[in-house]
Amino acid sequence: MDRTDTDLIIAGGGLAGATLALALAREVPTLRVTVVETFPLSPEALPADYQPSYDARSTALAWGSRLIFDALGLWPELSRHATPIRHIHVSDRGRFGATRLHARDHHQDALGYVADNRWMGLCLMRALQDTSVRWRAPAEVLDMMPGESGVEVTIREQGEQQILTGQCLVVADGGRSGLREKLGFVTHTERYGQNALIANVTTSESHRFTAYERFTDSGPMALLPHDAPGEPGHQSALVWTLNDEALAEILALSDEGRCQRLQDRFGWRLGRFTRIGECHHYPLALTTVDAPVRSGVALVGNAAHALHPVAGQGFNLALRGLMTLVEQFRNAHEQGRSIGELSVLGAYEQHHRQDWQQTVRFSDSLIRVFGQSLPVVAAARDAGLVGLDMIPGAKRWFARQAMGTGGRKPVLSSSNRSGRKAVPNGQQNG
Ligand SMILES: Cc1cc2nc3c(=O)[nH]c(=O)nc-3n(C[C@H](O)[C@H](O)[C@H](O)COP(=O)(O)OP(=O)(O)OC[C@H]3O[C@@H](n4cnc5c(N)ncnc54)[C@H](O)[C@@H]3O)c2cc1C
């Protein structure tokens, strides 16, 4: 069997794996990085040019994530197809409580952005083309043997099994991570008994760069401003939480029927829903691990924590974790230590833990508190929303969560031949 030596093996080249590879290429360019990805997606095999479509999935990027992409030199390109969120409006259907956040109150241009996943992937691949990161795709990680002295990974590429050896393996194979199970990490999965229905919608009124988080008796929904060519200002990305029965009902309806049902649930803040695109749906669960590291191996992205999407926190949390890991890898590499040492990976866990626990609590409690229709809970919810709107400290805390700027900031070196900035420490948020 062929054997290839490298320093770091990343299993999975999705948003998390590809971003980690790029960050390492910027921050620790002498580290040899190999990404193994099942799909034939790689910097050498770029998909056809970006064509935004009506069924494209999108991600809400918090302000903190924009700062990270800025530091990686990716933001100027990424921002070409990212719609700013200047206002967030949180409300409860049929009740009076509501809270509003405005970017200007935090002295910023936006609270966050909405970007097409496909566009983000393309920008990452283009940026990776100019780096030394090695890409093995289509190829699959079959088996792994991590330990203090290094890691041995078996992959299958073009029908042939091969061995990769390195100091460390990062598992970035997504929420249903088969590799995490294979490695025996202790995982907790709690099913919400709900599904997220995702679609792009067009409305008669402009979104005015407002993200709506609306809690209804059948579950929360989010409408995020998501501009598309030809319909600037009138397209939003919908994330609608529904139980199995309600989902089946909606899927059985015509597009017109779906718009009507959405109108009933959401109301008229965006005028009339005139069009709904292709609908995708996903069962919702909260998946966490007790500890995301062992000697020679670390979990990142959805493999480490998969959250409910309505609060738009999953990838933002993943990004902050990735930068913390990069910081630890850089420190170890500069000190001539192995990046797979448990003390190096343990420092990543220690620095990321508070952020991930807080973010999991935040998005989980949004669902538990706002997903209930009991009158007493609804009244408390109204009080909470009104309180959030009126108490500056509470509102600032909520804004920090939404903007992804509440936790510890990893210190990245300003790789700054091109004048890029490092992720700032102690970013002020008003
Ligand atoms: C409906 C929905 C809406 C969301 N909206 C938001 C949002 O608005 N904001 C936000 O921050 N987050 C959001 N998220 C979360 C966000 O999408 C995820 O955090 C992000 O996609 C995670 O990326 P990942 O790279 O960890 O996993 P994935 O994107 O699943 O990538 C895993 C990769 O690993 C590869 N792979 C798997 N097994 C192997 C193997 N054995 N060998 C090699 N490669 C392998 C796969 O091919 C894939 O490319 C949302 C999630 C969902 C489900």
Side-chain angles (χ1 to χ4, degrees), residues 11-17 36-39 57-60 117 139-141 172-175 179 196 198 224 282 300-303 309 312-316:
L15 285 178
V36 185
E37 166 57 44
T38 317
F39 280 90
R57 275 189 44 189
S58 53
T59 294
N117 288 6
E140 188 187 2
V141 171
D173 65 340
L179 302 179
I198 311 292
L224 311 171
Y282 309 85
V300 298
N302 271 17
Q313 298 274 321
F315 182 60
N316 295 299

Side-chain angles (χ1 to χ4, degrees), residues 321-353:
L322 294 175
M323 296 311 118
T324 302
L325 185 59
V326 168
E327 183 189 11
Q328 301 310 321
F329 281 166
R330 189 198 56 216
N331 292 347
H333 192 61
E334 281 173 3
Q335 292 159 10
R337 294 157 63 206
S338 163
I339 58 166
E341 270 181 30
L342 189 55
S343 59
V344 174
L345 300 173
Y348 149 66
E349 176 184 346
Q350 189 199 335
H351 291 309
H352 185 43
R353 181 174 281 278

